[in-house]
Amino acid sequence: MEYETILKLFSLVYIIIMMTIDFWIFGLILRREYVRVKGLLIILSIVLMMGLESLALAQLNVLLFISGMLLVLIPLFISFLIKDHSINVNRNWKYGLLLSSVIVFDELAMGYLYGNYFTPLPNPLLTAINNPAYGAMMLGDAIFFLYILRRRSIMEFAITTFAISMAFMPSLYLMDRMLEFIMSILTSLFMIVNIVLLYLTEMRMLTFQGQLVAISLSLFNLLMMLGLTFFASLSNLYFLTLSMIASMVWYFFLIFYNVPAKKISPKPFLFLVLVNLTELAMGFGESVLGFNLTNSLFVNTMNCEMMIGSHMMRSPFNNPFWWLFPINPLTMITMTIMKYNLLGKLVMVPFMTIMTTTMAPFYVIMMGAEMSYLVYERFKKVKTRYLKAWTLGILTGIPIFVVLIPYYTNYYIFGMSGMIFPVTLAPFVISLVVIALFSTLFGRGVYCNLVCMSAHMWSNVFYEQFSAKKNSKFWDYLRWIFLVPLIIAFYLFVMMGLGKIKLPINPLDFYGMFTLNYIWWFFYFLTPIFGIYSCARQGWCGFGTFNGIFNKVLFKIRAKDVNTCKECVSKECDTSCPVKIPISNDILKKGYSNRISCIVCARCVDACDNVEIVNVVTILKNRESKSF
C-alpha cells in the first residue's frame, strides 16, 4: 500500500475518533447543569490539543504536534492560579462563546486534515471548509445536539435545519459536478424548511430568545446566500467560506448558551426584510449555479445555438432541467451592462437583477413552497367551511397556476409569462376571457387569490398581522389612473399581434415585469407600513382592477339579516377586511357590498356569522331549493 494512501486512511480514522471524543466531551458538558471551572479549562485544552494535532498530521509537522501536547499543560498551570468554582455554562455567555470557538477551531482543523489529503485548495481556510468531511461533521453536529438537548420546539428544529443546510452546501462537493448539483438542491430544500421554521419561530416565540434566533439565523442565512451568489457568479469561495465559519460559531453558541427567554414584543419588520433579502439572494445564486451545472452536465456548449459570445443565454430542451433553470440571470445582467451607458446601467441593472431572479422558476417554486405552508397554517385557524374551502383553493392554485401555466405554456397570466414561450394574441385573448368569466361567476378572488403569486404571499398566517387599520378614498380614485398604462399595454400588444405596429419589446411583458419587480417589491418590503394587499388597497395593480370590474356582475357580500347589522357595535366585518372596505356601511345602504377592490379573501365571513358570500354557486343553490 502506498504511503499517501496510508496517510489518507489514517486521517479518516483519526477524524472519526476525534469527532467521537468531541461528541462525548461536549455531550458531557451539556448534560451537567454545573461544571467546575478547572475541569472545564482542562477539557477545552484537550480539544485544542486535538485540533493542533490535526494540523500537525496534515502538515506532517513534528513541532506542531509537540506544541499540541504541551498545550494541555497551560490550563493545568492556570488552574493552580485561580480559585475553583462551579458555573452553569448554559447561563454564562462568555463560556458559551469560548466553547463555540474551541469546537469550531477543532472542526476546522479536522476539515483541513481531510482537505489537505483529498481536496486541497490554494488557501488553507478554503481547504478546511470546502470538503465533504466538513459537511459530514456539520450533519453529525446537527443530529447529535438535537438528540442531546432533548427539546423538540420549533426553535430547536430551526437551529438544527440551519446547520443541516450548511452540511449540503454545494461548495463542499466540488470534486464532481453531478454531486455538486444534487447537494445544491438538497441545501435549497433544507434552507426552505429552515425559513418556514423561522417564520413560525418569529410568530410564536415572543421572547428574547425566540426573536434572537429568528432574526440572527435570517441574517446568517442572508450572508451565506450572498456567499453562494459570489461562488455561482464569480467562482469565488472566500465570502461563502467566511460566512459559513461565522454561522458555525453562532450555531454552537445557540447550542451552548441558553439565551434568556424573557417576554418581548416581536420584531416582524426587521425579520421580514432579512428573510426577503435572503430569498432574493438564494433565488439568484441557485438559479445561476443550477443553470451552469445542468448545462455543463447535459449540453454540449460547443454545438449550442443559444449562445451570445461565450455566454449561454437559455437552457436548450435537451437539458432535462431546462424547466427549472431556463435562463441564466447573470448572462442577462451581463448583456444589460454591455448594452447601456452609465445612466442606463443604473436603471436597468437593478431592474434586470430583480426581474430575472423573481421570474426564475426556481425562485417561484421556492416562494410557493414557503407560502403554501404558511397558507396551510392559516387553513388550520379559519372557522367557516367557506373560507376553509377557499384556502384549500389557494393551496391548489399555487402549484397549478403560479408554476405551471405562467412558465410552461404561452397563455398569459399577468406579468408571469413570456420568459420562455412568447405570448401570442390568441392565447392572450383566451386567458382574458377565462379570467373575466370566472371573475364574473366567483368574484375577483379567482385571480387575486388563486392565480396571482403576489396575493399568495399575503394570504397566510404570518402576514395577517400586518392588516391595515384604515383606508382612504384617495386610492379609490387613483386606481383608475393606474388602470390607464395597463390598457395602453393591452392595446399595443393587440396591435403588434395584428401586425399593425412593431415594437422592440413586448409591452405586456414590460408592464408586468415593471409592476411586479419594482412597484410590487417596494410595497412588499414595506408591508408593515402599507399593510397587506396593497395591490388592491392602493390599486397599483391595474390587472386586479380590471378583474374587479367583474365583481359587479354576480358577486356580492351580503347580510343574512340586515337588522342585525343595524344593531351591531363591533363591526367585525370591517375590522377583518384587509382592504378596509366599509362592508357594514355598504350593507346598510344597499343590502350588500360588491366593490371593485374586494379580493374575496372571505375574512369578513369568518369574522361574522351574519355575513355570507353570494356567487353563481349560491345563486344556483337558492334557485334549486325554491324549485322544490
Side-chain angles (χ1 to χ4, degrees):
M1 187 179 293
E2 294 182 2
Y3 177 67
E4 185 176 346
T5 304
I6 295 173
L7 285 176
K8 287 183 177 180
L9 290 174
F10 180 78
S11 66
L12 286 175
V13 173
Y14 181 84
I15 290 172
I16 293 172
I17 294 174
M18 293 303 103
M19 280 299 295
T20 304
I21 294 174
D22 278 350
F23 285 152
W24 179 77
I25 289 174
F26 291 107
L28 188 67
I29 293 173
L30 286 172
R31 284 193 179 101
R32 292 174 177 264
E33 185 176 0
Y34 291 95
V35 296
R36 308 295 292 183
V37 172
K38 291 185 177 182
L40 182 62
L41 290 175
I42 293 173
I43 288 174
L44 291 180
S45 67
I46 293 173
V47 176
L48 289 173
M49 179 192 70
M50 292 190 299
L52 284 175
E53 285 181 354
S54 297
L55 296 177
L57 288 171
Q59 296 291 326
L60 297 179
N61 190 317
V62 178
L63 290 178
L64 268 177
F65 184 80
I66 295 173
S67 300
M69 296 299 293
L70 293 175
L71 186 65
V72 75
L73 298 176
I74 297 175
L76 286 176
F77 177 73
I78 295 175
S79 65
F80 288 113
L81 300 178
I82 64 173
K83 184 179 180 180
D84 195 17
H85 60 282
S86 297
I87 61 166
N88 187 329
V89 175
N90 290 330
R91 296 181 181 178
N92 189 309
W93 70 267
K94 294 179 181 178
Y95 281 99
L97 185 60
L98 179 62
L99 284 166
S100 305
S101 302
V102 168
I103 192 171
V104 168
F105 169 77
D106 189 38
E107 293 192 357
L108 284 174
M110 287 188 285
Y112 179 70
L113 172 60
Y114 177 91
N116 190 62
Y117 286 120
F118 289 90
T119 57
L121 292 172
N123 184 284
L125 200 59
L126 300 183
T127 302
I129 289 288
N130 299 290
N131 62 71
Y134 166 78
M137 285 188 285
M138 283 307 300
L139 184 61
D141 289 333
I143 296 172
F144 175 77
F145 286 117
L146 181 66
Y147 172 76
I148 284 293
L149 293 175
R150 297 187 183 278
R151 298 193 296 263
R152 298 295 184 269
S153 71
I154 289 173
M155 186 173 63
E156 271 69 42
F157 282 115
I159 295 171
T160 300
T161 52
F162 173 75
I164 293 176
S165 67
M166 284 192 284
F168 296 109
M169 200 67 71
S171 59
L172 278 59
Y173 307 93
L174 300 176
M175 71 291 297
D176 183 84
R177 282 187 174 272
M178 177 57 77
L179 182 62
E180 185 181 347
F181 173 65
I182 293 172
M183 292 304 176
S184 71
I185 298 298
L186 285 176
T187 197
S188 299
L189 291 175
F190 278 104
M191 185 69 74
I192 290 170
V193 173
N194 180 247
I195 290 174
V196 170
L197 291 173
L198 292 180
Y199 269 115
L200 298 178
T201 300
E202 200 282 333
M203 285 187 293
R204 297 177 182 177
M205 307 295 289
L206 302 182
T207 62
F208 177 72
Q209 183 184 39
Q211 296 300 302
L212 179 67
V213 168
I215 293 172
S216 64
L217 294 190
S218 299
L219 174 61
F220 283 107
N221 279 337
L222 172 60
L223 293 177
M224 285 193 290
M225 290 302 100
L226 289 174
L228 182 67
T229 297
F230 281 113
F231 168 62
S233 305
L234 305 173
S235 298
N236 187 311
L237 284 169
Y238 285 96
F239 193 98
L240 179 58
T241 301
L242 292 174
S243 63
M244 289 176 72
I245 293 173
S247 299
M248 286 172 63
V249 174
W250 186 247
Y251 163 73
F252 286 118
F253 178 75
L254 293 177
I255 293 295
F256 290 116
Y257 177 60
N258 191 11
V259 180
K262 60 181 180 181
K263 293 283 185 179
I264 64 168
S265 59
K267 309 297 178 185
F269 183 61
L270 177 59
F271 174 77
L272 178 65
V273 171
L274 290 173
V275 166
N276 284 330
L277 289 175
T278 299
E279 290 161 342
L280 285 172
M282 181 179 172
F284 184 86
E286 287 288 357
S287 294
V288 173
L289 184 65
F291 181 93
N292 291 333
L293 287 176
T294 55
N295 282 295
S296 68
L297 286 167
F298 302 107
V299 178
N300 184 355
T301 55
M302 298 297 294
N303 300 322
C304 183
E305 298 178 356
M306 300 182 181
M307 301 287 291
I308 296 181
S310 60
H311 300 283
M312 181 179 285
M313 182 179 178
R314 290 176 178 267
S315 294
F317 294 145
N318 58 335
N319 177 356
F321 293 94
W322 71 268
W323 55 274
L324 188 58
F325 308 107
I327 294 175
N328 187 349
L330 184 61
T331 300
M332 303 295 287
I333 295 169
T334 303
M335 290 169 54
T336 304
I337 293 173
M338 295 171 59
K339 184 177 180 180
Y340 293 96
N341 57 25
L342 179 59
L343 181 60
K345 289 182 178 66
L346 292 175
V347 175
M348 292 304 297
V349 170
F351 172 78
M352 190 61 66
T353 301
I354 298 177
M355 186 271 289
T356 53
T357 300
T358 56
M359 293 295 184
F362 175 86
Y363 177 84
V364 176
I365 293 172
M366 173 189 70
M367 293 299 296
E370 294 174 8
M371 295 304 115
S372 291
Y373 187 83
L374 295 178
V375 172
Y376 170 70
E377 287 289 324
R378 180 180 178 231
F379 168 76
K380 294 191 298 184
K381 289 177 57 179
V382 297
K383 297 176 292 185
T384 61
R385 183 178 177 183
Y386 180 89
L387 189 52
K388 280 186 177 292
W390 196 251
T391 308
L392 286 176
I394 295 175
L395 288 173
T396 305
I398 290 176
I400 292 179
F401 292 100
V402 175
V403 178
L404 184 62
I405 291 179
Y407 289 101
Y408 311 134
T409 73
N410 58 355
Y411 284 80
Y412 185 78
I413 304 296
F414 172 63
M416 298 296 288
S417 60
M419 290 288 291
I420 299 176
F421 297 106
V423 178
T424 52
L425 186 57
F428 165 69
V429 172
I430 292 172
S431 67
L432 283 185
V433 171
V434 170
I435 291 175
L437 175 62
F438 277 86
S439 294
T440 298
L441 298 177
F442 303 101
R444 175 180 171 176
V446 294
Y447 175 78
C448 289
N449 275 314
L450 296 184
V451 179
C452 181
M453 182 67 178
S454 302
H456 295 159
M457 295 167 73
W458 277 318
S459 303
N460 60 70
V461 68
F462 176 75
Y463 285 92
E464 284 181 342
Q465 62 185 302
F466 302 124
S467 292
K469 299 295 184 290
K470 61 181 180 178
N471 199 6
S472 171
K473 288 187 177 181
F474 172 76
W475 298 109
D476 292 335
Y477 298 105
L478 192 63
R479 75 175 64 255
W480 298 109
I481 298 176
F482 290 136
L483 189 60
V484 173
L486 176 70
I487 295 173
I488 294 174
F490 279 3
Y491 171 77
L492 293 175
F493 177 76
V494 172
M495 291 297 100
M496 284 182 63
L498 296 175
K500 301 294 185 181
I501 59 173
K502 289 185 178 180
L503 295 174
I505 187 172
N506 185 317
L508 282 180
D509 284 343
F510 179 79
Y511 176 80
M513 293 172 187
F514 181 80
T515 304
L516 289 178
N517 291 298
Y518 266 53
I519 299 177
W520 151 249
W521 283 103
F522 173 78
F523 282 98
Y524 184 63
F525 267 83
L526 297 177
T527 296
I529 297 174
F530 290 99
I532 60 176
Y533 288 110
S534 62
C535 47
R537 289 184 63 247
Q538 273 73 40
W540 52 260
C541 177
F543 200 68
T545 300
F546 169 79
N547 290 305
I549 294 172
F550 300 98
N551 273 358
K552 294 287 187 178
V553 183
L554 293 178
F555 174 80
K556 291 179 177 64
I557 299 172
R558 73 181 180 191
K560 298 174 184 177
D561 182 2
V562 177
N563 291 323
T564 302
C565 294
K566 293 178 180 178
E567 299 172 359
C568 179
V569 177
S570 62
K571 306 293 183 185
E572 291 182 2
C573 58
D574 292 345
T575 56
S576 64
C577 178
V579 185
K580 290 304 163 212
I581 296 172
I583 300 172
S584 61
N585 188 53
D586 288 353
I587 290 176
L588 291 175
K589 282 185 177 180
K590 53 184 182 180
Y592 62 87
S593 177
N594 63 345
R595 298 204 180 194
I596 289 173
S597 56
C598 177
I599 38 84
V600 197
C601 66
R603 285 177 171 85
C604 55
V605 177
D606 208 46
C608 178
D609 296 334
N610 191 46
V611 176
E612 63 180 354
I613 298 292
V614 177
N615 55 32
V616 67
V617 175
T618 54
I619 291 172
L620 291 175
K621 283 184 177 180
N622 287 336
R623 285 183 178 178
E624 289 176 1
S625 62
K626 290 177 181 179
S627 64
F628 286 100

